[in-house]
Amino acid sequence: MNTTYFKETNPVSLAERYRLEDPEVLALFGSHPAAPGAWEDRAARLDAAAGRRADPRRVAAAIRDYHRSLPPSDAVDRSLTKLEQEDSLVVVGGQQAGLFGGALLIYYKALSVIQAAKEAEQRLSRPVVPVFWIAGEDHDFDEANHANVQASGGEVRRVRIERPEGPRLAVSRTPLTQEQWASALQELASQLPDTEFKPGLLDRLQSHVADAPSLSLAFARLLVDWFGGQGLLLLDADDPNLRTLEGPMFRELIERNDDLEGALKAGERVVLDKGLSLQAEIAPDSANLFLHHEQGRLLLHKENGRFIDRRGHVSYSCQEMQQLTADHPDLLSTNALTRPLMQDYLLPVLAAVLGPSELAYWGILGPAFREFELSVPLLLPRQSFTFVEASIVKLLDKYSLSVQEAIEEWETRRTQWLGEQDEWQLEEQFLQVKEQFKALYAPVLDTVSQLQPGLAKLAENNQDKILDQIEYLQSRSSDAIAKRHEASLRQWDRIRQSLTPLGKPQERVYGTVHFLNRYGPGWLSLWESVPFDANGGHRLVDAAAAI
């Protein structure tokens, strides 16, 4: 597949500076995957700290058990066997589930995990397994319950499942009915344009939801469809079998919660001292843990030596929290800042694939990793793509636009093109008329002001009304030109709706199903030929050359 890099015009974010190997930002993380010997050094650290992690055989058994609820795959079985080996390492990435696979960026993250694992296995000559965790413990159902597609008319349409009434439970614990799934599939079918691939796509999606699974489980089944042949292992962060294995780390996070808070605050100061912005400021006395409760997933805080939620539903002593880790570890849950620590305890994480916001979160975690005798894994920026369809390539050529111009300067270039279609030079003519009118009217203004001061304001209002009428005529004339070129302007709109739908990056809006419906299963195999880049970056994919 042919790809070219999109040049970032303002590389000032922490994530972009890290990607470009800015030494000041690298100091927050300790290393960079493009640095000589970085992979080997990380592997050696993991080998030395093997005794600090959960039992790898029990972890592999839990993941194997989870995969029994997913479509079978020989490549997945081979990855599970590799994971059981003592010298096995993993590359991980994760994301909240997404309806019908969610946005393209999820697909690209899983792809990045697989590519990085293959690269690392060749580099280190030892088993490296790709693992994708699904954030089923998250309770923001509105982040997971939708997918966007482009309808036949070119407009973006959102297909969604509404959250059931009641407490905001974790997504993996939110029950859905067959009626809800049937309605969502019907809505998807009505919005997707008719293609030769549409019936097969809808049938496969139906097969995944026939038993009315949670969003997380349906999402996992789809990921196995897409990536099972490449050996991607899946786990749900809310899996009770994994929770049991995480108990010792939860106990340490609870017992040393003040140390955790101090380390996170120290990480914040380091980031701020470098003149960087925080992704989100840590709330005072936050425990950085959640508790699953009948009233929903509750964020815990510390008050007078107890772990409480702000709404007054729970209040636990440290000892009672410790007892939960033994008796009911499934009631406990990490947040965005403690999940990386738990991940490193659970798995031999050689590298983690992160999006820009995640990298910003991780910027403060160095002191916390050290506080708990862990070390920050190699951090791989998620690969980012814009898929430039063949029909869009033709339109770009027609209007002499580069993809970069179409993404960054669409409004300016469209206005410029439309102005070039004005063979009558209307803008210049109307500007000249307005200037001439002002010149002719100036003596009148001066005369009536001298005649009676109160008439000055009336004269100015009169002038403004006449100018407004000239402006109105100019606007209607411009509309007439646009009307003459309506078909071409629709093509300009098609360019924008494809590359930057809703004014956002393509990968953050359109679902993967949008392109599967257009190009069929063969579209998935195209991505296997994309070369791996440890630095990530935004690449443009020329579909005309790929399909």
Side-chain angles (χ1 to χ4, degrees):
M1 182 184 290
N2 291 343
T3 64
T4 56
Y5 282 91
F6 183 90
K7 184 179 179 181
E8 299 292 343
T9 56
N10 190 28
V12 296
S13 68
L14 185 151
E16 186 64 11
R17 288 174 63 182
Y18 173 80
R19 193 184 74 77
L20 297 175
E21 302 179 60
D22 183 325
E24 189 171 28
V25 172
L26 291 186
L28 297 172
F29 305 102
S31 186
H32 190 279
W39 297 82
E40 292 77 8
D41 290 346
R42 174 61 182 169
R45 282 177 176 266
L46 289 171
D47 291 340
R52 286 274 302 158
R53 291 192 297 277
D55 184 337
R57 291 167 298 180
R58 294 182 67 192
V59 173
I63 296 176
R64 186 183 293 277
D65 189 56
Y66 178 69
H67 268 270
R68 290 193 177 98
S69 62
L70 308 179
S73 164
D74 291 340
V76 165
D77 289 340
R78 289 191 293 272
S79 288
L80 285 166
T81 300
K82 285 165 60 175
L83 188 63
E84 293 169 337
Q85 297 175 217
E86 289 186 1
D87 63 338
S88 181
L89 305 174
V90 303
V91 173
V92 301
Q95 197 78 26
Q96 173 70 282
L99 178 65
F100 302 133
L104 280 164
L105 66 87
I106 300 176
Y107 182 88
Y108 297 151
K109 181 178 279 189
L111 175 73
S112 301
V113 170
I114 292 169
Q115 290 182 327
K118 289 179 180 178
E119 174 76 13
E121 188 165 271
Q122 294 175 359
R123 183 190 294 263
L124 300 176
S125 299
R126 60 189 290 183
V128 180
V129 182
V131 176
F132 192 94
W133 54 260
I134 300 164
E137 62 189 358
D138 286 356
H139 58 277
D140 193 342
F141 193 82
D142 290 339
E143 282 190 2
N145 73 339
H146 60 273
N148 295 319
V149 298
Q150 190 180 81
S152 300
E155 65 278 12
V156 177
R157 295 295 189 192
R158 172 161 291 190
V159 179
R160 60 188 294 139
I161 288 181
E162 296 298 335
R163 183 178 70 85
E165 294 294 328
R168 297 176 66 84
L169 303 175
V171 172
S172 289
R173 304 184 187 202
T174 301
L176 298 175
T177 65
Q178 289 185 335
E179 289 76 16
Q180 284 177 294
W181 279 114
S183 176
L185 276 169
Q186 184 177 5
E187 178 67 14
L188 180 67
S190 69
Q191 297 299 345
L192 285 174
D194 291 332
T195 69
E196 61 182 296
F197 307 112
K198 182 177 176 178
L201 173 62
L202 293 174
D203 286 347
R204 191 58 180 166
L205 293 175
Q206 170 61 40
S207 73
H208 291 323
V209 302
D211 58 345
S214 68
L215 263 177
S216 298
L217 184 55
F219 174 73
R221 290 169 176 172
L222 192 53
L223 285 189
V224 171
D225 265 2
W226 295 347
F227 295 110
Q230 299 180 65
L232 181 67
L233 296 186
L234 302 174
L235 62 85
D236 189 332
D238 198 38
D239 183 350
N241 291 330
L242 290 177
R243 278 287 181 263
T244 300
L245 300 178
E246 294 171 349
M249 188 63 186
F250 271 120
R251 284 194 289 275
E252 194 167 359
L253 291 171
I254 292 165
E255 181 180 326
R256 301 182 55 214
N257 202 265
D258 289 343
D259 295 333
L260 169 66
E261 183 181 6
L264 293 174
K265 285 294 185 183
E268 282 189 337
R269 289 193 295 272
V270 173
V271 170
L272 292 172
D273 287 346
K274 292 182 178 295
L276 299 166
S277 300
L278 297 174
Q279 179 67 18
E281 189 172 355
I282 300 169
D285 298 319
S286 173
N288 292 288
L289 295 171
F290 284 91
L291 182 81
H292 294 289
H293 187 268
E294 61 182 12
Q295 294 300 318
R297 183 172 177 246
L298 309 177
L299 180 61
L300 297 179
H301 299 267
K302 294 171 290 185
E303 184 176 294
N304 299 324
R306 299 186 70 83
F307 290 80
I308 66 166
D309 75 296
R310 297 298 195 200
R311 290 179 285 174
H313 294 303
V314 298
S315 175
Y316 289 98
S317 68
C318 184
Q319 184 177 358
E320 289 170 331
M321 287 288 292
Q322 295 282 16
Q323 194 62 41
L324 281 180
T325 68
D327 298 341
H328 299 287
D330 59 307
L331 296 182
L332 298 170
S333 173
T334 54
N335 73 349
L337 297 176
T338 48
R339 183 181 290 146
L341 303 176
M342 184 64 77
Q343 178 178 272
D344 208 62
Y345 168 77
L346 193 66
L347 297 163
V349 182
L350 177 66
V353 174
L354 304 177
S357 295
E358 291 173 299
L359 266 169
Y361 270 118
W362 279 63
I364 73 168
L365 291 181
F369 269 89
R370 292 190 291 272
E371 182 68 36
F372 288 85
E373 299 179 37
L374 303 169
S375 58
V376 180
L378 295 176
L379 304 182
L380 298 168
R382 172 182 60 80
Q383 297 187 94
S384 176
F385 302 96
T386 294
F387 189 72
V388 189
E389 300 178 82
S391 60
I392 301 302
V393 172
K394 293 179 181 178
L395 291 179
L396 292 172
D397 289 342
K398 177 178 179 178
Y399 296 108
S400 301
L401 276 176
S402 68
V403 179
Q404 183 118 8
E405 289 170 337
I407 290 175
E408 293 188 335
E409 306 172 25
W410 179 88
E411 192 71 50
T412 300
R413 295 300 299 270
R414 178 183 181 275
T415 300
Q416 178 184 345
W417 177 86
L418 186 58
E420 291 169 354
Q421 312 315 306
D422 178 11
E423 60 189 87
W424 304 273
Q425 298 181 318
L426 287 177
E427 184 173 358
E428 183 177 328
Q429 285 195 55
F430 276 102
L431 178 62
Q432 186 177 1
V433 166
K434 283 183 282 189
E435 292 301 322
Q436 289 175 346
F437 167 71
K438 288 178 183 179
L440 289 170
Y441 201 79
V444 175
L445 276 173
D446 184 58
T447 299
V448 298
S449 298
Q450 293 178 40
L451 180 63
Q452 184 179 327
L455 291 176
K457 184 62 177 176
L458 177 62
E460 289 174 1
N461 290 339
N462 186 46
Q463 175 182 252
D464 291 342
K465 288 180 179 179
I466 296 172
L467 288 172
D468 285 344
Q469 287 298 308
I470 296 174
E471 290 277 2
Y472 175 72
L473 181 58
Q474 182 178 0
S475 175
R476 292 296 302 271
S477 301
S478 297
D479 290 344
I481 293 177
K483 189 72 175 177
R484 281 175 169 245
H485 299 282
E486 192 171 10
S488 293
L489 292 176
R490 283 199 298 267
Q491 292 176 340
W492 278 86
D493 290 340
R494 280 184 59 199
I495 293 172
R496 179 174 61 174
Q497 286 293 79
S498 177
L499 302 180
T500 53
L502 306 179
K504 301 176 182 178
Q506 180 193 78
E507 64 183 22
R508 292 189 172 277
V509 177
Y510 288 132
T512 304
V513 292
H514 164 75
F515 289 104
L516 283 176
N517 182 64
R518 290 197 173 196
Y519 303 111
W523 184 83
L524 299 176
S525 61
L526 296 174
W527 297 95
E528 296 179 25
S529 63
V530 173
F532 171 70
D533 188 338
N535 290 70
H538 181 185
R539 280 182 274 181
L540 308 173
V541 178
D542 184 350
I547 296 178

